[in-house]
């Protein structure tokens, strides 16, 4: 509450203030909401300009990691690989364009920051999540139950590589 008050009603600044005070900050997403993605982009920019950011964890399938890494490493920004591989954008819908802007913001920041300070994006969700085809209620419940442990392991493994990482 004190962090929110200090930000004087600027939610992105409140998130940046939280990132200054905490090494790991969780920002919840509403999948169909474009506003939450735009807030994330603003927060990423403010965090980088204040305390810095090492790792951005996204709720996309871990099988998307090679595509994300390739996108971030290209010298000229070209989002076509993310767009053509829809899993990196979570799911098609009204917020797809805004989800893409999260990646673009990190790519642009990395160009300025350089390799030694580059932000890494971690695709932390189950491989193939969200499912491309409807699952039976039992399979959906089983897979949903696996997600939390999988994401926790993905983050723990990433932090093992950089124990002091600043994470959003």
């Amino acid at each position: 509450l004190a962090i929110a008050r200090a930000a004087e009603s600027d939610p992105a600044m409140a998130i940046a203030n939280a990132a200054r005070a905490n090494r790991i900050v969780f920002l919840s997403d509403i999948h169909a909401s474009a506003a939450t993605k735009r807030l994330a982009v603003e927060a990423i920019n403010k965090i980088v300009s204040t305390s810095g950011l090492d790792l951005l964890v996204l709720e996309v399938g871990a099988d998307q990691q090679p595509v994300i890494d390739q996108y971030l490493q290209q010298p000229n920004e070209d989002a076509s690989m993310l767009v053509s591989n829809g899993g990196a954008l979570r799911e098609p819908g009204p917020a797809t364009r805004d989800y893409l802007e999260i990646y673009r913001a990190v790519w642009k920041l990395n160009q300025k920051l350089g390799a030694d300070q580059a932000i890494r994006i971690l695709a932390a969700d189950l491989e193939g999540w969200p499912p491309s085809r409807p699952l039976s209620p039992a399979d959906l419940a089983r897979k949903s139950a696996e997600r939390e442990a999988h994401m926790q392991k993905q983050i723990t493994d990433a932090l093992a590589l950089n124990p002091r990482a600043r994470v959003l």
Side-chain angles (χ1 to χ4, degrees):
L1 189 57
I3 292 173
R5 285 190 184 124
E8 298 180 1
S9 77
D10 177 356
M13 186 51 75
I15 296 165
N17 290 342
R20 257 197 312 270
N22 302 281
R23 201 170 50 88
I24 300 173
V25 175
F26 288 90
L27 179 61
S28 185
D29 184 20
I30 301 169
H31 293 296
S33 169
T36 58
K37 281 70 166 173
R38 289 191 297 268
L39 174 60
V41 169
E42 287 180 51
I44 289 165
N45 283 306
K46 288 187 179 187
I47 291 168
V48 168
S49 70
T50 56
S51 60
L53 181 64
D54 300 302
L55 182 64
L56 175 64
V57 179
L58 295 180
E59 193 179 1
V60 297
D63 54 315
Q64 299 302 309
Q65 193 67 57
V67 174
I68 294 168
D69 291 343
Q70 183 181 0
Y71 167 76
L72 290 175
Q73 293 169 3
Q74 59 185 339
N76 298 310
E77 200 270 341
D78 177 7
S80 64
M81 66 182 67
L82 297 173
V83 173
S84 64
N85 189 353
L89 299 177
R90 177 76 178 121
E91 56 195 40
T96 300
R97 174 76 180 166
D98 295 289
Y99 207 96
L100 178 60
E101 292 305 317
I102 295 170
Y103 289 102
R104 298 181 99 171
V106 172
W107 184 90
K108 289 174 189 173
L109 287 165
N110 283 352
Q111 298 306 301
K112 295 176 187 173
L113 294 171
D116 61 327
Q117 294 180 4
I119 302 163
R120 180 172 175 235
I121 295 178
L122 175 65
D125 215 330
L126 292 174
E127 289 194 16
W129 195 268
S132 58
R133 59 177 177 74
L135 299 176
S136 71
D139 285 342
L140 182 60
R142 184 179 50 75
K143 286 289 204 185
S144 294
E146 294 172 8
R147 291 178 68 213
E148 180 182 342
H150 177 80
M151 286 192 262
Q152 183 177 7
K153 183 177 181 334
Q154 292 286 93
I155 294 168
T156 301
D157 290 350
L159 289 174
L161 297 173
N162 183 359
R164 297 178 187 252
R166 296 157 298 180
V167 182
L168 175 64

